[in-house]
Amino acid sequence: MTELYEVITPSASIGTLKGVGKKTEEKLNSIGIHTVNDVVFHLPNSYVDQNPTDVNSVKLEEVITVSGVVKTEPTVTYLRKGLNRMSFHMETNNVYIKVTFFNQAYLKKQIEVGDTINVHGKFNKPKQEMSGRSIIKPNGDTMDMRYALNKVMNNKTFGNIVKEVFRTHIFNQDLPEYLIKKYKLMPIKQTLYHLHFPDNMDELQNARRTMKFYELFMFQVKIIEKRKQERVPQKESIIKYDIDKLKRFIGTLPFELTKDQKTSVNDICRDLLSEFNMHRLLQGDVGSGKTIVAGISVYALKTALKQSAIMVPTEVLANQHYESLVESFNDELTIELLTGTTTPSEKRRIKEALKNGDIDLIIGTHALFEDDVVFKDLGLVIIDEQHRFGVNQREKLIKKAKSRNVLYMTATPIPRTLSITAFGDMDVSLIKTMPAGRLPIKTFWKKEKEIDEVLAFIKKEMDAGRNIYVVAPLIEESEVLDLMTTEEVYHMFRETFGEDKVELVHGRMKTEEKAKAMARFESLETPILVSTTVIEVGINVKNATVMTIFNAERFGLSTLHQLRGRVGRNDLQSYCILISEGKTEQAQMRMNIMTETTDGFVLSERDLEMRGPGDFFGVRQSGLPEFKVADLVHDYRILEVARSEAIKLFKEQ
């Protein structure tokens, strides 16, 4: 991202600026300001418009600046030690108002009867009174800017350093001239100056509009440049799979692929035959059948005598993929599982087989990118929930492939705005249609006072031979938050349904303990599973029909949707019960959205609006930009235009 903000090249150190000595340089370095580019892009984080306002236009109470004539001599009253009050009257726009300043008695010297002055403060229209904050000098700055400086210096000192950069340096990077004219934008130097020193709010808004376009356009240019560099024709990238064998294999599946699955398979097969490395994102809602598409892709590689690897972030998800793919393709593919808990002897056997080419597909966690995991001929890397891995971690595995074909998969439906920014350098395949026979999950919002009704419903489903999920947000009791913990919920369910009917699973348990508990749950030995969000991804118990979530307001929409997706994996009617008091407006909105739609893509857009891009994935998305002015949620129209213009720019070159 730093190159986006290099409008002065070469970028000089701040130590070269007049008035910036060694101590000042150290202070600025401490808050991340090292170069002249850093200075001009360290923008104010708040602005106060100090232009005079007509008090007649104020509705009730507003912070404004008024210009008027002083009518009475200011008087100072000392209320107690450390507290004084200065008051006077002034006339503004034919309105007589009382002005009061607290603990600013020194201002008395600046106020004389008959003077015209500008006072900034909070105006109370019904009382015709103003609580003054400052007196603005005539011909002074009409906009008051505040910078985030962590108390290393005051705003005025930093403002002078900013002005010194504008006075002494040439801004030699900018938007193309034709875009500035086409969209009525400003040159970048003028834009930045108005962001630091606007004369009024209109000037500020025009500067912000240009900066939003600049950031989004330049970022899209960087993405396309990166894509162009990676898309170098290479003969090693071509996977000459046997199309007849692949068609026969697909024909043996016990079900027909959905329209979106077929389209996705075709996309991937076309990529494999291309001389460019595949760089594709497979997006599919919970339970949409991404794993089958991945399995078909792996089989295509097998027909070309090449190996594949699937890397996932957790052992639970690794086990899930392994079981699912073995069940579907065991007769056709040699599949092995490699995780942190694989025994040393098993690891040695698997690594040797992998090196010899005896394994078609290896499924694993971070263990896959260890140096001693060597492939005979790795041709396809599949990374699931890739935002949970760092860029370097992903690269370590990808570099092991001779032909660097990469398929990323995610069950988190990603809004278009984030898809363009975070995954703009990828081709995208979408699986929206669900497998035939699946019934929409019915979602209900219940309050804690209705818990008996919920328990009665759960008993009815349990008696019908169904599995029940129960999720709570915390493991242990909190002194700060009034929440039901997993332990409390666990004990409540044991008292209600019997000790032998309820299983407890959480993240602190050993993998072996979790596996045994899950096995008892899946076999219906213990039909109720109480857990934390450890079951959010990768659990596939087809007999489960009820997902109950306590304190549901504690989770984002995407997490709630992922949890809801643990049920509804068969032709039985399934249910999601959200238990929440909904004390805040946002909590109520979240519960209502969940009960209104089961479309993960609709939910993802709403979740992005409510939580913002930084928190959307639960962990900060590696590579997701943090812009100075642009906002991915609210500026998506500018983003669309900027992307379109960036694509045109490269097509015309």
Side-chain angles (χ1 to χ4, degrees):
M1 284 292 291
T2 52
E3 64 269 22
L4 261 66
Y5 301 109
E6 290 179 357
V7 293
I8 300 168
T9 55
S11 189
S13 164
I14 53 173
T16 62
L17 294 170
K18 184 181 177 182
V20 178
K22 189 72 176 171
K23 285 187 177 179
T24 301
E25 185 177 4
E26 287 173 358
K27 287 178 180 178
L28 290 172
N29 287 171
S30 73
I31 57 172
I33 299 173
H34 300 273
T35 69
V36 291
N37 279 303
D38 294 337
V39 170
V40 294
F41 278 99
H42 191 79
L43 303 173
N45 59 1
S46 68
Y47 301 83
V48 177
D49 188 354
Q50 297 181 149
N51 287 288
T53 300
D54 183 353
V55 293
N56 294 299
S57 66
V58 176
K59 293 180 180 177
L60 287 173
E61 284 189 328
E62 283 183 41
V63 176
I64 59 171
T65 299
V66 297
S67 181
V69 178
V70 178
K71 289 295 184 180
T72 64
E73 195 76 34
T75 60
V76 177
T77 304
Y78 293 91
L79 304 173
R80 65 172 188 269
K81 187 177 181 180
L83 181 63
N84 62 68
R85 179 181 64 212
M86 182 184 71
S87 301
F88 63 93
H89 289 82
M90 66 185 289
E91 186 181 355
T92 173
N93 294 93
N94 299 315
V95 177
Y96 205 68
I97 67 172
K98 181 181 179 181
V99 181
T100 301
F101 281 89
F102 286 94
N103 279 6
Q104 296 189 65
Y106 60 86
L107 292 175
K108 184 179 180 182
K109 296 176 183 177
Q110 301 178 24
I111 303 165
E112 291 185 16
V113 175
D115 282 354
T116 298
I117 63 171
N118 290 355
V119 179
H120 183 73
K122 191 170 189 177
F123 180 63
N124 185 320
K125 188 170 185 177
K127 292 184 178 181
Q128 301 285 274
E129 291 179 354
M130 171 168 266
S131 178
R133 296 182 181 178
S134 60
I135 291 177
I136 301 166
K137 295 175 183 177
N139 303 317
D141 293 332
T142 54
M143 295 284 287
D144 182 35
M145 279 69 68
R146 292 276 181 264
Y147 293 93
L149 295 167
N150 203 24
K151 297 182 180 178
V152 300
M153 66 179 58
N154 61 43
N155 283 277
K156 187 175 181 182
T157 302
F158 184 73
N160 289 334
I161 293 171
V162 176
K163 286 176 180 175
E164 180 65 13
V165 176
F166 279 98
R167 190 181 68 80
T168 58
H169 284 74
I170 295 170
F171 289 64
N172 49 12
Q173 298 294 318
D174 209 336
L175 286 166
E177 186 64 34
Y178 72 91
L179 288 179
I180 292 174
K181 288 180 180 176
K182 183 176 180 179
Y183 295 106
K184 297 182 173 61
L185 305 172
M186 292 186 283
I188 196 65
K189 182 175 181 178
Q190 185 183 346
T191 298
L192 284 163
Y193 191 84
H194 288 326
L195 286 171
H196 284 283
F197 312 111
D199 289 329
N200 52 59
M201 292 304 286
D202 287 342
E203 194 171 84
L204 174 63
Q205 290 309 317
N206 285 334
R208 284 179 61 81
R209 178 174 162 270
T210 296
M211 182 50 64
K212 287 175 180 181
F213 186 92
Y214 174 84
E215 289 185 295
L216 296 170
F217 174 79
M218 296 303 286
F219 184 70
Q220 290 304 312
V221 167
K222 296 297 176 190
I223 285 176
I224 296 169
E225 280 178 349
K226 180 172 177 274
R227 176 85 186 260
K228 203 172 180 182
Q229 288 168 4
E230 289 177 349
R231 284 181 68 80
V232 178
Q234 294 179 28
K235 287 184 179 178
E236 302 86 47
S237 296
I238 301 172
I239 306 295
K240 294 180 180 178
Y241 65 89
D242 189 321
I243 192 166
D244 293 327
K245 284 183 180 179
L246 187 63
K247 284 181 177 178
R248 178 199 60 76
F249 172 68
I250 293 171
T252 63
L253 295 174
F255 50 82
E256 186 175 353
L257 297 179
T258 64
K259 181 185 175 185
D260 288 349
Q261 284 175 319
K262 289 176 182 176
T263 301
S264 298
V265 168
N266 288 335
D267 289 342
I268 292 164
C269 287
R270 192 164 51 248
D271 287 347
L272 294 175
L273 290 172
S274 166
E275 60 183 358
F276 297 104
N277 290 332
M278 178 166 70
H279 200 51
R280 182 169 294 279
L281 174 68
L282 179 61
Q283 271 197 81
D285 212 339
V286 179
S288 61
K290 298 181 299 300
T291 308
I292 293 297
V293 172
I296 292 169
S297 307
V298 170
Y299 187 81
L301 267 289
K302 179 182 177 171
T303 68
L305 304 177
K306 291 183 181 289
Q307 297 167 297
S308 302
I310 297 180
M311 185 168 73
V312 297
T314 66
E315 291 205 17
V316 171
L317 190 52
N319 282 311
Q320 177 53 50
H321 276 315
Y322 177 73
E323 288 168 11
S324 176
L325 288 164
V326 165
E327 183 183 345
S328 300
F329 308 126
N330 192 37
D331 296 336
E332 304 283 355
L333 294 169
T334 304
I335 305 170
E336 292 286 359
L337 178 68
L338 184 64
T339 68
T341 57
T342 305
T343 63
S345 60
E346 269 292 280
K347 280 183 180 177
R348 284 193 295 273
R349 181 190 66 78
I350 290 169
K351 288 174 184 178
E352 188 64 28
L354 204 58
K355 192 175 180 180
N356 293 335
D358 298 330
I359 295 173
D360 299 318
L361 171 63
I362 186 78
I363 301 168
T365 54
H366 301 71
L368 290 184
F369 55 70
E370 290 176 3
D371 292 336
D372 62 347
V373 176
V374 180
F375 296 82
K376 182 179 181 182
D377 191 353
L378 179 60
L380 174 64
V381 173
I382 301 172
I383 301 176
D384 201 6
E385 297 300 330
Q386 63 110 7
H387 55 272
R388 298 192 183 194
F389 294 100
V391 174
N392 293 335
Q393 290 178 323
R394 299 196 298 257
E395 277 298 308
K396 208 167 178 185
L397 176 59
I398 293 167
K399 282 178 180 176
K400 295 185 180 187
K402 291 179 183 176
S403 50
R404 299 181 65 180
N405 293 298
V406 187
L407 177 66
Y408 300 94
M409 297 199 303
T410 180
T412 305
I414 300 163
R416 179 161 172 75
T417 47
L418 280 192
S419 186
I420 286 173
T421 49
F423 306 112
D425 58 339
M426 299 184 195
D427 296 307
V428 179
S429 294
L430 293 177
I431 303 181
K432 282 193 170 186
T433 51
M434 300 299 279
R438 298 276 177 91
L439 296 171
I441 300 164
K442 293 182 178 179
T443 305
F444 303 97
W445 172 21
K446 298 291 182 181
K447 303 284 183 75
E448 282 184 23
K449 64 183 180 183
E450 300 171 284
I451 193 67
D452 288 342
E453 180 187 330
V454 172
L455 294 173
F457 178 77
I458 286 172
K459 186 176 188 312
K460 181 183 170 187
E461 286 292 300
M462 191 178 76
D463 289 346
R466 314 286 181 238
N467 287 91
I468 316 294
Y469 290 111
V470 184
V471 172
L474 292 173
I475 298 172
E476 296 166 349
E477 191 174 349
S478 168
E479 294 178 6
V480 182
L481 303 170
D482 181 22
L483 303 174
M484 288 285 283
T485 69
T486 43
E487 291 284 356
E488 288 172 336
V489 172
Y490 175 59
H491 289 302
M492 178 178 73
F493 272 74
R494 285 180 60 159
E495 286 175 15
T496 306
F497 300 107
E499 293 184 7
D500 59 336
K501 300 293 184 185
V502 189
E503 204 70 60
L504 176 64
V505 170
H506 55 74
R508 294 183 189 175
M509 291 170 65
K510 291 180 180 178
T511 305
E512 194 177 328
E513 290 177 346
K514 274 192 281 191
K516 286 179 179 177
M518 287 304 304
R520 288 192 294 271
F521 173 65
E522 193 165 358
S523 67
L524 270 176
E525 185 182 334
T526 44
I528 300 173
L529 179 71
V530 176
S531 88
T532 55
T533 54
V534 71
I535 62 158
E536 178 187 345
V537 175
I539 304 296
N540 185 22
V541 178
K542 292 179 180 177
N543 192 54
T545 57
V546 182
M547 168 61 72
T548 309
I549 306 170
F550 282 82
N551 301 115
E553 76 283 349
R554 298 290 300 171
F555 305 107
L557 287 173
S558 290
T559 299
L560 289 173
H561 184 60
Q562 290 286 331
L563 290 169
R564 177 166 60 185
R566 297 307 100 206
V567 297
R569 292 174 164 257
N570 48 39
D571 56 359
L572 300 168
Q573 180 61 62
S574 291
Y575 309 87
C576 179
I577 303 169
L578 308 170
I579 300 173
S580 171
E581 293 306 287
K583 292 178 181 177
T584 66
E585 186 179 340
Q586 191 179 58
Q588 292 169 16
M589 195 186 307
R590 202 174 286 163
M591 297 306 104
N592 286 327
I593 293 167
M594 283 295 295
T595 57
E596 288 165 7
T597 182
T598 56
D599 188 321
F601 289 90
V602 172
L603 282 166
S604 71
E605 293 287 353
R606 298 299 298 273
D607 203 18
L608 181 63
E609 290 170 15
M610 293 176 75
R611 297 167 68 196
D615 296 325
F616 179 79
F617 289 106
V619 293
R620 185 162 292 282
Q621 162 67 33
S622 180
L624 191 67
E626 291 183 68
F627 296 118
K628 308 286 185 183
V629 177
D631 181 316
L632 292 176
V633 179
H634 300 105
D635 300 324
Y636 68 92
R637 286 192 177 89
I638 299 176
L639 172 62
E640 295 275 5
V641 173
R643 178 165 174 76
S644 172
E645 291 292 352
I647 291 168
K648 280 183 196 172
L649 181 71
F650 277 86
K651 281 183 178 176
E652 290 167 6
Q653 287 180 349

